[in-house]
Amino acid sequence: MAQNRKKKIGLIGGGQIGGNLALLAVQKSLGDVFLYDIPAAEGLVKGKALDINQLAAVDGYDCRVTGTTDWKDVAGSDVIIITAGMPRKPGMSREDLLEINLKIMTDVAGNIKQHAPNAFVINVANPLDAMVFALHKIAGLPDNMVVGMAGVLDTSRFKCFVAEALGCSIRDVEALVLGGHGDDMVPLVRHSTVGGVPLTELIAKDKLDAIVKRTREGGAELVGLYKTGSAYFGPAASSIAMAESFIFDRKRILPGAALLKGQYGINGYFFGTPVQIGAGGIEKVITVDLNDAEKAELEKSFQSVKKTVDSVKL
Ligand code: LMR
């Protein structure tokens, strides 16, 4: 019987999110992990790899983590998740990271082009939509093989706050956040349900408005609490959900930043909408039917993304 070879997962960036990604990837048996960072962080990636390998016996998983500072080790990865870049600090917007993170992304994307051009690449670095745009262009990746992680994270935050407000299980919350990963993102209240009941029938308008605001500011709330950086558990789990759907051909429909080709009247920009992820990468880009008010909100979100992307000089 033909044996499937173990998948290879390259994690670019050995910080807090990178470490969580490595742990989740092996715990979920996604494949062997190569945790890469620059030579100055050699001890960090080698230490995290050893630490995770040493606990493999506890849960009995067979995938291994290798810490590396050499792109050759990442070569031929099936999946790459990019977290390399600076996180924001209190008082900063994600857009404030553009200049510094674009430099880092230029290096990372060039190495992906050289060493892992066939990988399915998931970007976490901010400002997210602009970074995916740059990654796609510089690495020359096929349109279906690159995605931004944030829709899963933003949607998960929205669901969390709804479940908290109702004191109900999050499993029964169905919700979606569209648009760019910024303060203008669009939590779709009208389309959301809990146990099949429209959200608007369960939560009063003023409380729903507060949930929408808190979702939009979900990243900033954590930046304010952590003070020295930004979220790391949520971004890791969200990226792993996408990687898992690709590796096991689950064909899940997850919100992510995909290259739009006319959807919502947008062309040539990465923007958050539901996508189907399977062995073929992004197998479908799905649009949501919006009313005029929602269309106006989405357009506002798009104009913010466009402004940042249009300022990117490659
Ligand atoms: C998030 O939403 O948690 C990330 O984009 C990090 C940030 O700066 O908010």
Side-chain angles (χ1 to χ4, degrees):
M1 200 164 93
Q3 275 300 100
N4 278 341
R5 76 167 174 86
K6 244 195 252 173
K7 296 289 183 197
K8 180 168 179 179
I9 299 161
L11 303 178
I12 312 306
Q16 294 272 29
I17 309 177
N20 285 320
L21 280 170
L23 181 60
L24 285 170
V26 293
Q27 283 179 329
K28 286 176 174 270
S29 296
L30 298 193
D32 285 327
V33 170
F34 292 80
L35 181 62
Y36 169 90
D37 212 318
I38 55 172
E42 184 172 16
L44 196 72
V45 286
K46 294 209 159 149
K48 286 185 183 180
L50 181 60
D51 199 351
I52 293 172
N53 290 336
Q54 284 176 355
L55 63 87
V58 178
D59 287 329
Y61 46 77
D62 295 313
C63 298
R64 302 271 305 169
V65 184
T66 303
T68 181
T69 59
D70 188 345
W71 269 96
K72 291 201 186 83
D73 288 329
V74 181
S77 289
D78 299 284
V79 174
I80 288 193
I81 304 176
I82 304 169
T83 62
M86 299 301 289
R88 60 178 167 150
K89 310 251 166 28
M92 290 174 79
S93 73
R94 295 182 181 93
E95 287 67 32
D96 291 337
L97 300 170
L98 180 67
E99 202 183 321
I100 176 96
N101 283 352
L102 188 57
K103 280 199 192 109
I104 297 168
M105 181 58 85
T106 301
D107 178 61
V108 168
N111 275 298
I112 290 174
K113 183 177 185 152
Q114 189 182 341
H115 299 286
N118 300 319
F120 180 59
V121 186
I122 301 164
N123 175 56
V124 179
N126 272 320
L128 185 126
D129 307 278
M131 285 300 117
V132 196
F133 178 88
L135 163 69
H136 173 246
K137 275 250 155 30
I138 300 166
L141 292 162
D143 301 348
N144 61 318
M145 294 299 274
V146 56
V147 71
M149 152 297 300
V152 179
L153 175 63
D154 297 327
T155 295
S156 181
R157 285 178 176 151
F158 186 27
K159 289 181 178 177
C160 162
F161 302 141
V162 166
E164 267 180 23
L166 290 171
C168 73
S169 167
I170 202 156
R171 290 171 188 226
D172 298 322
V173 181
E174 284 297 336
L176 175 64
V177 177
L178 284 186
H181 184 53
D183 297 345
D184 300 319
M185 67 180 75
V186 186
L188 282 182
V189 170
R190 191 172 62 92
H191 299 72
S192 304
T193 59
V194 181
V197 182
L199 196 51
T200 45
E201 290 177 25
L202 295 167
I203 303 181
K205 166 123 182 29
D206 59 331
K207 287 216 174 92
L208 274 175
D209 289 348
I211 289 173
V212 165
K213 183 169 183 305
R214 193 170 177 201
T215 301
R216 287 182 166 144
E217 294 168 2
E221 186 174 351
L222 286 167
V223 170
L225 290 167
Y226 285 144
K227 301 226 167 23
T228 54
S230 51
Y232 39 87
F233 294 116
S238 304
S239 315
I240 289 291
M242 288 178 154
E244 195 176 8
S245 195
F246 171 76
I247 288 170
F248 298 123
D249 193 24
R250 297 239 196 274
K251 303 203 184 296
R252 291 194 63 192
I253 295 176
L254 298 166
L259 183 64
L260 297 194
K261 298 175 181 174
Q263 295 92 341
Y264 309 109
I266 297 168
N267 207 11
Y269 291 83
F270 283 80
F271 198 57
T273 193
V275 292
Q276 185 168 61
I277 299 177
I282 294 186
E283 296 178 348
K284 267 186 212 155
V285 176
I286 297 160
T287 52
V288 184
D289 201 17
L290 303 174
N291 65 22
D292 286 347
E294 291 154 354
K295 277 184 193 158
E297 284 192 35
L298 199 70
E299 178 59 20
K300 187 172 174 211
S301 175
F302 173 59
Q303 287 306 325
S304 304
V305 169
K306 184 174 184 303
K307 189 168 164 219
T308 312
V309 170
D310 290 352
S311 74
V312 170
K313 301 278 169 281
L314 296 176

